[in-house]
Amino acid sequence: MLKSFKKNDAAHLYRMDSAAPLQVFIATSSGTRMICNDPSIAGMCYTNLLCQSCTEILRLFDFGLKERETCVVNILRGGLNFGLREALYHAYGWLYHTTSFISAQRARNSQDPEEWHITENAYRKVYFPHTASWVIGDVVATGTSLRYALEELLKEAEKQCLDLRNIVFFTYGGTKAAEILEEVDRRCRKLFAHYQKTSLIYLEGCFQVA
C-alpha cells in the first residue's frame, strides 16, 4: 500500500509498506516520468534529468544526512548516471561530502544463461569519514551487482572501523533491491552500534523484472 508522504511543486514522495525498519519510498517527478515514458531520452539528457530528479527528492525530505559525514558511493559504472555528488550540492549547497568508487559488473554464466556472476571488479577507491552515511544510486534488476558491491563495502567498513549511520539508495529497480537492503539493514544494526536507518527510494515504481 502507498501513502502520500511529502510533496511540493517539483516532486512527490510516497511511503510503501515494508519490513520494518527499512524505509521504502516511491518518488515521482517530471524528470523521472520523462525517463520512464520517453525512449528517446539518452546521453546527457538522461543523466541531467536523473541528477535533477535526485536533487528534487533530496530537497523534499531530510534523510538524516550530514555534510562532512556523507559519502557518495558509485557502483561502477551505472551509479555514475545518478549524479548524486552534484545532486547533494544542488539540494543543500554542500561542498565537503566525499566520493568512493567500487566496480561490480555482472555477466551471464555460459553454462546457464539464467545465472549471473561478477566480472570487472578489480577497481575500487573506498575511503570513508570515520562517522559516515552512504548515498548510492544504481539500476537494480537481478541484484547481482548490488549484492556483491554492498558485501564488499561492508567488509571495507569493518576494516576501517567505520561508524556507519545511514544508507540512502536511489534506484530504478524491482523487488530485489528491497530484499538485499533488508538483509544489509539487519547486518548494519549488528555491526555498527549507532546505525540509524536504511532508506530505499524507487524512482516511479517498484518494477517487475522479465
Side-chain angles (χ1 to χ4, degrees):
M1 179 181 291
L2 288 179
K3 296 180 180 179
S4 180
F5 185 69
K6 294 279 185 179
K7 66 178 178 179
N8 57 24
D9 292 339
H12 196 152
L13 197 62
Y14 297 86
R15 186 76 179 262
M16 291 181 65
D17 289 337
S18 60
L22 184 67
Q23 292 190 141
V24 183
F25 304 95
I26 289 180
T28 182
S29 68
S30 60
T32 57
R33 290 191 295 272
M34 288 173 68
I35 290 170
C36 279
N37 295 321
D38 186 349
S40 69
I41 292 175
M44 287 304 301
C45 184
Y46 170 75
T47 54
N48 285 341
L49 282 172
L50 197 47
C51 178
Q52 176 186 330
S53 298
C54 291
T55 300
E56 292 164 350
I57 295 161
L58 287 165
R59 284 176 179 156
L60 190 59
F61 179 60
D62 179 4
F63 289 97
L65 303 173
K66 297 181 180 179
E67 181 175 3
R68 292 181 182 271
E69 297 178 0
T70 297
C71 182
V72 175
V73 181
N74 292 294
I75 301 174
L76 300 175
R77 297 180 306 269
L80 295 172
N81 291 323
F82 287 74
L84 290 170
R85 181 171 175 78
E86 294 83 355
L88 287 162
Y89 166 75
H90 292 305
Y92 307 136
W94 287 0
L95 298 173
Y96 299 105
H97 51 301
T98 59
T99 308
S100 290
F101 303 88
I102 184 167
S103 57
Q105 297 294 306
R106 64 174 184 159
R108 290 186 187 274
N109 289 326
S110 58
Q111 300 297 322
D112 184 352
E114 296 303 315
E115 295 292 329
W116 299 82
H117 67 280
I118 294 296
T119 184
E120 297 181 37
N121 61 341
Y123 179 80
R124 65 185 61 190
K125 181 181 178 183
V126 182
Y127 303 106
F128 306 118
H130 173 68
T131 301
S133 293
W134 295 342
V135 179
I136 309 171
D138 203 12
V139 174
V140 179
T142 66
T144 305
S145 297
L146 178 61
R147 189 182 298 277
Y148 170 83
L150 289 175
E151 177 68 29
E152 293 301 305
L153 288 167
L154 288 177
K155 288 178 184 176
E156 191 62 34
E158 287 188 89
K159 181 179 176 181
Q160 294 184 27
C161 299
L162 192 67
D163 183 15
L164 186 63
R165 300 296 180 91
N166 300 287
I167 297 174
V168 179
F169 187 80
F170 292 85
T171 188
Y172 278 109
T175 56
K176 283 293 182 182
E179 292 176 15
I180 293 166
L181 287 169
E182 283 173 16
E183 296 171 11
V184 167
D185 186 275
R186 286 193 292 270
R187 288 189 60 189
C188 286
R189 292 178 188 281
K190 293 178 180 178
L191 291 171
F192 309 108
H194 302 110
Y195 192 77
Q196 296 172 358
K197 60 181 178 295
T198 306
S199 301
L200 167 60
I201 303 101
Y202 285 109
L203 303 178
E204 287 303 311
C206 179
F207 299 108
Q208 296 294 320
V209 179

